[in-house]
Amino acid sequence: QVHLVESGGGLVQPGGSLRLSCASSGSIFSMNVMGWYRQSPGKQRDLVATITGDGITNYADSLKGRFTISRDNAKNTVYLQMNSLKPEDTDVYYCNLRNTYLSGIYDDYWGQGTQVTVSS
């Protein structure tokens, strides 16, 4: 089992910045991907960004250039630096960790979600 604890959300004005953190613990595989997703009320959970243990990143096209994902493998922690925030970035942000077995089967684990509100 994997436990994820998120922090760093809050209220920020348009154009501002926030840094989200997600610390993981438990049975974390060497072959894992960590990432961030976000979800608005009544909508599906959407990809924000993912990062492999080797530092390979993947971003939602609409967020490229404003958001940066990074990780500290020693701490099993993933971060999301959010700059130039817009009101449409307002969402609940969820941390994700995917443990992948050699067979290709995987397990997904999710954080509790942290609210990001961009408003003046």
Side-chain angles (χ1 to χ4, degrees):
Q1 191 68 29
V2 174
H3 182 58
L4 304 174
V5 179
E6 304 175 29
S7 62
L11 175 66
V12 65
Q13 294 185 347
S17 298
L18 284 174
R19 187 191 187 215
L20 306 182
S21 298
C22 175
S24 63
S25 61
S27 300
I28 301 169
F29 290 7
S30 296
M31 186 185 302
N32 75 82
V33 177
M34 300 187 74
W36 292 93
Y37 296 74
R38 65 186 187 181
Q39 185 173 22
S40 296
K43 296 185 179 296
Q44 297 184 12
R45 188 170 296 182
D46 294 326
L47 168 74
V48 175
T50 61
I51 184 168
T52 70
D54 293 331
I56 306 301
T57 59
N58 181 52
Y59 295 90
D61 288 340
S62 62
L63 303 179
K64 290 180 180 178
R66 294 195 299 118
F67 288 13
T68 302
I69 190 170
S70 61
R71 65 185 288 167
D72 184 334
N73 290 333
K75 298 180 179 180
N76 288 317
T77 299
V78 65
Y79 308 92
L80 184 69
Q81 180 67 47
M82 303 184 292
N83 298 324
S84 301
L85 284 163
K86 305 174 181 179
E88 52 262 43
D89 295 320
T90 296
D91 269 314
V92 178
Y93 285 70
Y94 295 90
C95 177
N96 169 263
L97 185 147
R98 174 170 288 187
N99 277 336
T100 302
Y101 296 84
L102 185 61
S103 65
I105 296 173
Y106 59 84
D107 292 323
D108 276 334
Y109 300 91
W110 296 94
Q112 78 279 9
T114 185
Q115 177 70 46
V116 172
T117 302
V118 185
S119 180
S120 59

